[in-house]
Coordinates of all heavy atoms in Angstrom, one line a residue:
W18 N -215.4 60.6 146.3 CA -214.2 59.8 145.9 C -213.4 60.6 144.8 O -212.2 60.6 144.8 CB -214.6 58.5 145.3 CG -213.4 57.6 145.0 CD1 -213.0 57.3 143.7 CD2 -212.5 57.1 145.9 NE1 -211.8 56.5 143.8 CE2 -211.5 56.4 145.2 CE3 -212.4 57.1 147.3 CZ2 -210.5 55.7 145.8 CZ3 -211.3 56.4 147.9 CH2 -210.4 55.7 147.1
G19 N -214.1 61.4 144.0 CA -213.4 62.2 143.0 C -212.4 63.1 143.5 O -211.3 63.4 142.9
K20 N -212.6 63.7 144.8 CA -211.6 64.6 145.3 C -210.3 63.9 145.6 O -209.2 64.5 145.5 CB -212.2 65.2 146.6 CG -212.4 64.2 147.7 CD -213.0 64.8 149.0 CE -213.2 63.8 150.1 NZ -213.9 64.3 151.3
N21 N -210.3 62.6 145.8 CA -209.0 61.8 146.0 C -208.3 61.7 144.7 O -207.1 61.7 144.6 CB -209.3 60.5 146.6 CG -210.0 60.6 148.0 OD1 -209.5 61.4 148.8 ND2 -211.0 59.8 148.3
L22 N -209.1 61.5 143.6 CA -208.5 61.4 142.3 C -207.8 62.7 141.9 O -206.7 62.8 141.4 CB -209.5 60.9 141.3 CG -210.0 59.5 141.4 CD1 -211.3 59.3 140.7 CD2 -208.9 58.5 140.9
V23 N -208.6 63.8 142.2 CA -208.1 65.1 141.9 C -206.7 65.3 142.6 O -205.7 65.8 142.0 CB -209.1 66.2 142.3 CG1 -208.4 67.6 142.2 CG2 -210.3 66.2 141.4
R24 N -206.7 65.0 143.9 CA -205.4 65.2 144.7 C -204.3 64.4 144.1 O -203.2 64.9 143.9 CB -205.7 64.8 146.1 CG -204.4 64.8 146.9 CD -204.7 64.4 148.4 NE -205.3 63.1 148.5 CZ -204.7 61.9 148.5 NH1 -203.4 61.9 148.3 NH2 -205.3 60.8 148.6
N25 N -204.5 63.2 143.7 CA -203.4 62.3 143.3 C -202.9 62.7 141.9 O -201.7 62.7 141.7 CB -203.9 60.8 143.2 CG -203.7 60.1 144.6 OD1 -202.6 59.7 144.9 ND2 -204.7 60.1 145.4
F26 N -203.8 63.0 141.0 CA -203.3 63.5 139.7 C -202.6 64.8 139.8 O -201.7 65.1 139.0 CB -204.5 63.5 138.7 CG -204.9 62.2 138.1 CD1 -206.0 61.5 138.5 CD2 -204.0 61.5 137.3 CE1 -206.4 60.3 138.0 CE2 -204.3 60.2 136.8 CZ -205.5 59.7 137.1
H27 N -203.0 65.7 140.7 CA -202.3 66.9 141.0 C -200.9 66.6 141.4 O -199.9 67.2 141.0 CB -203.1 67.8 142.0 CG -202.2 68.9 142.6 ND1 -201.9 70.0 141.8 CD2 -201.6 69.0 143.8 CE1 -201.1 70.8 142.6 NE2 -201.0 70.2 143.8
E28 N -200.8 65.7 142.4 CA -199.5 65.4 143.0 C -198.6 64.7 141.9 O -197.4 64.8 142.0 CB -199.6 64.4 144.2 CG -200.3 65.2 145.4 CD -200.6 64.2 146.5 OE1 -200.4 63.0 146.4 OE2 -201.1 64.8 147.6
L29 N -199.2 64.1 140.9 CA -198.4 63.4 139.9 C -198.1 64.4 138.7 O -197.5 64.0 137.7 CB -199.2 62.2 139.3 CG -199.3 61.0 140.2 CD1 -200.3 60.0 139.7 CD2 -197.9 60.4 140.4
G30 N -198.5 65.7 138.9 CA -198.2 66.7 137.9 C -199.0 66.6 136.6 O -198.6 67.1 135.6
A31 N -200.2 65.9 136.7 CA -200.9 65.7 135.5 C -202.4 66.2 135.4 O -203.1 66.0 134.5 CB -201.0 64.1 135.3
L32 N -202.7 67.0 136.4 CA -204.1 67.6 136.5 C -204.2 68.8 135.7 O -203.5 69.8 135.9 CB -204.5 67.8 137.9 CG -205.9 68.3 138.2 CD1 -206.9 67.3 137.8 CD2 -206.1 68.8 139.6
R33 N -205.1 68.8 134.7 CA -205.4 70.0 133.9 C -206.7 70.7 134.2 O -206.7 71.9 134.2 CB -205.4 69.5 132.4 CG -206.0 70.5 131.4 CD -205.2 71.8 131.2 NE -205.8 72.7 130.3 CZ -206.8 73.5 130.6 NH1 -207.3 73.6 131.8 NH2 -207.3 74.3 129.7
A34 N -207.8 69.9 134.5 CA -209.1 70.5 134.7 C -210.0 69.7 135.5 O -209.7 68.5 135.7 CB -209.7 70.8 133.3
I35 N -211.1 70.3 136.0 CA -212.1 69.6 136.8 C -213.4 70.0 136.3 O -213.7 71.2 136.0 CB -211.9 70.1 138.3 CG1 -210.6 69.6 138.9 CG2 -213.1 69.5 139.1 CD1 -210.3 70.3 140.2
A36 N -214.3 69.0 136.3 CA -215.7 69.4 136.0 C -216.7 68.7 137.0 O -216.4 67.6 137.4 CB -216.1 68.8 134.6
D37 N -217.6 69.5 137.5 CA -218.6 68.9 138.5 C -219.8 69.8 138.4 O -219.8 71.0 138.1 CB -218.0 69.1 139.9 CG -218.8 68.3 140.9 OD1 -219.8 68.8 141.4 OD2 -218.4 67.1 141.2
P38 N -221.0 69.1 138.5 CA -222.3 69.9 138.5 C -222.3 71.0 139.5 O -223.0 72.0 139.3 CB -223.4 68.8 138.7 CG -222.7 67.5 138.3 CD -221.3 67.7 138.6
D39 N -221.7 70.8 140.6 CA -221.6 71.8 141.7 C -220.5 72.7 141.4 O -219.3 72.5 141.7 CB -221.4 71.1 143.1 CG -221.5 72.1 144.2 OD1 -221.3 73.3 144.0 OD2 -221.7 71.7 145.4
E40 N -220.8 73.8 140.7 CA -219.8 74.8 140.3 C -219.0 75.3 141.4 O -217.8 75.6 141.2 CB -220.4 75.8 139.4 CG -221.0 75.3 138.1 CD -221.5 76.5 137.2 OE1 -221.3 77.7 137.6 OE2 -222.1 76.2 136.2
K41 N -219.6 75.6 142.5 CA -218.9 76.2 143.7 C -217.8 75.2 144.1 O -216.7 75.6 144.4 CB -219.9 76.4 144.8 CG -219.2 77.1 146.0 CD -220.3 77.5 147.0 CE -219.7 78.1 148.3 NZ -220.7 78.4 149.3
T42 N -218.1 73.9 144.2 CA -217.1 73.0 144.7 C -216.1 72.8 143.6 O -214.9 72.7 144.0 CB -217.8 71.6 144.9 OG1 -218.8 71.7 145.9 CG2 -216.8 70.5 145.3
A43 N -216.4 72.8 142.4 CA -215.4 72.6 141.3 C -214.5 73.8 141.3 O -213.2 73.6 141.2 CB -216.1 72.5 139.9
H44 N -214.9 75.0 141.4 CA -214.1 76.2 141.4 C -213.2 76.2 142.7 O -212.0 76.6 142.5 CB -214.9 77.5 141.3 CG -215.4 77.8 139.9 ND1 -214.6 78.3 139.0 CD2 -216.6 77.5 139.3 CE1 -215.2 78.4 137.8 NE2 -216.5 78.0 138.1
A45 N -213.7 75.8 143.8 CA -212.9 75.8 145.0 C -211.7 74.8 144.9 O -210.6 75.0 145.3 CB -213.8 75.5 146.2
M46 N -212.1 73.6 144.4 CA -211.1 72.6 144.3 C -210.0 72.9 143.2 O -208.9 72.7 143.3 CB -211.7 71.2 144.0 CG -210.8 70.1 144.1 SD -211.6 68.5 144.4 CE -212.3 68.7 146.0
A47 N -210.6 73.5 142.1 CA -209.7 73.9 141.0 C -208.7 75.0 141.5 O -207.5 74.9 141.2 CB -210.5 74.5 139.8
K48 N -209.1 75.9 142.3 CA -208.2 76.9 142.9 C -207.2 76.3 143.8 O -206.0 76.6 143.8 CB -209.1 77.9 143.7 CG -208.2 79.1 144.3 CD -209.1 80.1 145.0 CE -208.3 81.2 145.6 NZ -209.2 82.2 146.3
Q49 N -207.7 75.3 144.6 CA -206.8 74.6 145.6 C -205.6 73.9 144.8 O -204.5 73.9 145.3 CB -207.6 73.6 146.4 CG -206.7 72.8 147.4 CD -207.5 71.8 148.2 OE1 -208.8 71.8 148.0 NE2 -206.9 71.0 149.0
Y50 N -206.0 73.3 143.7 CA -205.0 72.5 143.0 C -204.4 73.1 141.7 O -203.7 72.4 140.9 CB -205.5 71.1 142.7 CG -205.8 70.3 144.0 CD1 -207.1 70.0 144.4 CD2 -204.7 69.8 144.7 CE1 -207.3 69.3 145.6 CE2 -204.9 69.0 145.8 CZ -206.2 68.8 146.3 OH -206.4 68.1 147.4
G51 N -204.7 74.4 141.5 CA -204.1 75.1 140.3 C -204.6 74.5 139.0 O -203.8 74.5 138.0
A52 N -205.9 74.1 138.9 CA -206.4 73.6 137.7 C -207.5 74.5 137.2 O -207.9 75.4 137.9 CB -207.0 72.1 137.9
A53 N -208.1 74.2 136.1 CA -209.2 74.9 135.5 C -210.5 74.2 135.9 O -210.6 73.0 135.9 CB -209.1 75.0 134.0
A54 N -211.5 75.0 136.2 CA -212.9 74.5 136.4 C -213.7 74.7 135.1 O -214.0 75.9 134.8 CB -213.6 75.1 137.6
E55 N -214.0 73.7 134.4 CA -214.6 73.9 133.1 C -215.8 72.9 132.9 O -215.9 71.9 133.7 CB -213.6 73.6 131.9 CG -212.5 74.7 132.0 CD -211.4 74.4 130.9 OE1 -211.4 73.3 130.4 OE2 -210.7 75.3 130.6

Side-chain angles (χ1 to χ4, degrees):
W18 187 248
K20 63 184 179 183
N21 297 317
L22 290 161
V23 169
R24 172 179 58 82
N25 272 279
F26 280 110
H27 165 73
E28 292 174 357
L29 291 168
L32 182 65
R33 164 67 181 82
I35 297 168
D37 193 276
D39 186 338
E40 294 185 4
K41 183 177 179 180
T42 299
H44 282 281
M46 193 161 290
K48 182 178 180 181
Q49 180 181 356
Y50 292 109
E55 298 178 340

